[in-house]
Amino acid sequence: IIIPTKSNQSRSDLCGKVNPNFLDTTSIMLTRTSNTVPSIITRLRSNGARTLSSESLKVEEVPKAKKENIKYFKIYRWDPEQKQKPYISTFPVDLNDCGPMVLDALIKIKNEQDPTLTFRRSCREGICGSCAMNIDGSNTLACLCYINSESSSATKIYPLPHMYVIKDLVPDMSNFYEQYRSIEPWLQTEQSKEPGQKEWLQTKEDRAKLDGMYECILCACCSTSCPSYWWNADKYLGPAVLMQAYRWIEDSRDDYGKKRLAELDDAFKLYRCHTIMNCTKVCPKNLNPGKAIANIKKKLAESHGAV
């Protein structure tokens, strides 16, 4: 209903009374409106217009936000360019928005909180050995170590112990790889292949002797958990390298087993092992370097006629 007004008409005229000058106009508009409203309603119904219903008036429930599940990570930090002593940084991580592994938390911290945090990682499947570090006092792979969500205490992360640190969680592996190179970890034969020969074959029984040794990924978790390696890393080869040496000694296709044994017959290279077995305890691949070292000692004893 439209009631025309004039610019000079007061507000009280509209609220208290109707100007008689407009009664004729008002009656005409009301008549027109009364005639058109039913036709409009008829059109809406014929066109299938929707009407309000109880279902359309329902309000969808907003899902409640999950309560934050905060876990703290205390991480060893050291940057040689900053010229300051090593320190510990604490980072909060919401486990509801994080993967289950410690490596997931480290990546989340680096992406969202501190891009300067430095660590090694590659495959995330326990194959490359890059993310080896000390987590809550034990050497392991960050990609295979579950976050302890049941404990309220902070997770402590350090680089592999008793190794020079390049930055943060990155240790210097130069000495470790140099020791690995020293055992010549490749197949050595006295004869060359015959024409048309593609591979050096061996029986299934001889192949089975290599199980438990060839799976080593050289992550150095075992060597850096060994107290003997801590104090004599410059001379003692360590569990990982010695197990790889025995892997080639046991290979039936290799013709230099005696030479390999002779090179290991040293008071420091081999006999610094005191069977503490930390190496076997921490191996993320569930291998037994201690057993391999014992077998090397046994073969040397047999070669000397002691057994």
Side-chain angles (χ1 to χ4, degrees):
I1 299 173
I2 303 174
I3 302 176
T5 62
K6 293 183 178 180
S7 58
N8 58 354
Q9 186 178 7
S10 64
R11 185 177 184 88
S12 59
D13 291 338
L14 288 175
C15 298
K17 58 182 179 179
V18 178
N19 194 324
N21 296 330
F22 304 118
L23 288 178
D24 293 338
T25 306
T26 303
S27 61
I28 294 171
M29 295 299 296
L30 289 173
T31 303
R32 292 180 179 177
T33 304
S34 61
N35 294 332
T36 56
V37 169
S39 61
I40 293 174
I41 295 175
T42 304
R43 289 179 186 175
L44 290 174
R45 288 180 177 175
S46 62
N47 293 334
R50 292 190 305 173
T51 57
L52 294 177
S53 62
S54 58
E55 293 184 359
S56 62
L57 293 175
K58 287 183 178 179
V59 179
E60 294 184 0
E61 294 183 0
V62 178
K64 296 181 180 179
K66 290 184 179 180
K67 184 179 179 181
E68 288 187 340
N69 183 15
I70 300 299
K71 178 76 173 180
Y72 290 94
F73 292 83
K74 293 185 176 181
I75 303 175
Y76 175 95
R77 307 297 305 276
W78 182 70
D79 187 349
E81 296 181 357
Q82 298 298 326
K83 296 182 180 181
Q84 61 178 343
K85 294 181 178 180
Y87 61 95
I88 302 296
S89 292
T90 303
F91 299 95
V93 175
D94 184 4
L95 299 186
N96 292 332
D97 189 30
C98 179
M101 303 299 181
V102 172
L103 183 59
D104 294 320
L106 289 174
I107 294 174
K108 185 177 179 64
I109 292 171
K110 184 176 180 66
N111 290 341
E112 300 178 5
Q113 300 187 45
D114 189 350
T116 65
L117 177 63
T118 306
F119 54 90
R120 290 191 179 107
R121 57 105 174 176
S122 182
C123 72
R124 300 181 70 172
E125 297 292 339
I127 300 299
C128 68
S130 299
C131 62
M133 54 190 70
N134 186 280
I135 302 174
D136 284 335
S138 180
N139 293 352
T140 187
L141 299 179
C143 64
L144 297 183
C145 181
Y146 283 95
I147 299 172
N148 187 1
S149 58
E150 297 180 357
S151 174
S152 59
S153 58
T155 297
K156 299 178 181 179
I157 306 176
Y158 291 81
L160 291 175
H162 290 269
M163 298 188 78
Y164 291 104
V165 176
I166 297 176
K167 183 181 178 182
D168 292 345
L169 301 176
V170 179
D172 186 356
M173 304 285 284
S174 301
N175 181 62
F176 178 79
Y177 290 136
E178 179 62 24
Q179 291 174 327
Y180 181 59
R181 186 203 60 79
S182 71
I183 65 170
E184 300 179 352
W186 55 83
L187 188 67
Q188 300 182 42
T189 59
E190 295 178 350
Q191 299 177 352
S192 58
K193 289 183 178 180
E194 298 178 358
Q197 182 181 359
K198 295 182 179 180
E199 300 173 336
W200 296 101
L201 303 178
Q202 63 182 165
T203 64
K204 292 182 178 180
E205 291 75 17
D206 288 337
R207 168 61 184 80
K209 294 179 181 179
L210 306 182
D211 289 342
M213 295 184 290
Y214 81 90
E215 300 94 332
C216 176
I217 58 177
L218 298 173
C219 63
C221 283
C222 61
S223 294
T224 54
S225 70
C226 176
S228 296
Y229 191 77
W230 295 347
W231 314 132
N232 303 282
D234 57 333
K235 299 178 181 178
Y236 175 50
L237 293 180
V241 174
L242 287 173
M243 184 171 68
Q244 289 303 301
Y246 185 63
R247 174 251 180 276
W248 292 105
I249 292 171
E250 275 292 273
D251 198 323
S252 60
R253 301 165 294 180
D254 191 273
D255 296 328
Y256 285 79
K258 291 183 179 180
K259 177 187 175 183
R260 295 178 187 275
L261 275 174
E263 291 179 351
L264 295 178
D265 192 5
D266 180 86
F268 280 93
K269 284 184 178 180
L270 173 67
Y271 292 102
R272 288 299 93 188
C273 172
H274 299 300
T275 324
I276 300 172
M277 301 303 288
N278 278 2
C279 53
T280 302
K281 181 179 179 181
V282 302
C283 178
K285 305 295 287 185
N286 297 316
L287 306 181
N288 193 344
K291 181 180 179 181
I293 296 173
N295 287 332
I296 295 176
K297 292 178 180 179
K298 184 178 179 180
K299 280 186 173 293
L300 282 173
E302 290 174 351
S303 65
H304 294 319
V307 178

